[in-house]
Amino acid sequence: MGAAKLRLYGTHFCHLCHDAELILHEAGILFVYVDITDDDVLIDRYAQQVPVLQRVDTGTELGWPFDVAQVISLCKSV
């Protein structure tokens, strides 16, 4: 997979976030998991939307549900 760095915003008690992590792990896609419960600003922004995958360099976001093809497209987007 390319060099695009990704963040997965979620919470540790969210089953959809767990599903998103599994998709990324199974596809061998590297990402950083960010638990939004550690940051009030992130809670305000993402509480009703997690999981959200974000491309760090562009800020482009992909909301759930997503699949491997959509993640690869996100990584290739300019």
Side-chain angles (χ1 to χ4, degrees), residues 1-6 27-31 55 57 71-72 75-76:
M1 175 110 274
K5 294 185 180 181
L6 302 174
I29 297 170
L30 298 177
F31 64 96
R55 184 170 163 163
D57 61 346
V71 173
I72 290 170
C75 291
K76 291 180 180 179

Side-chain angles (χ1 to χ4, degrees), residues 53-66:
L53 190 62
Q54 180 188 63
R55 184 170 163 163
V56 176
D57 61 346
T58 65
T60 304
E61 294 181 346
L62 182 60
W64 185 258
F66 52 78

Side-chain angles (χ1 to χ4, degrees), residues 16-76:
L16 297 176
C17 300
H18 178 71
D19 292 347
E21 282 186 273
L22 288 176
I23 288 172
L24 296 170
H25 281 298
E26 289 175 3
I29 297 170
L30 298 177
F31 64 96
V32 173
Y33 188 86
V34 178
D35 186 340
I36 67 168
T37 60
D38 296 334
D39 185 316
D40 290 339
V41 173
L42 294 178
I43 290 172
D44 288 343
R45 183 168 180 184
Y46 295 112
Q48 301 300 315
Q49 299 175 347
V50 292
V52 173
L53 190 62
Q54 180 188 63
R55 184 170 163 163
V56 176
D57 61 346
T58 65
T60 304
E61 294 181 346
L62 182 60
W64 185 258
F66 52 78
D67 59 26
V68 173
Q70 292 170 304
V71 173
I72 290 170
S73 179
L74 173 69
C75 291
K76 291 180 180 179

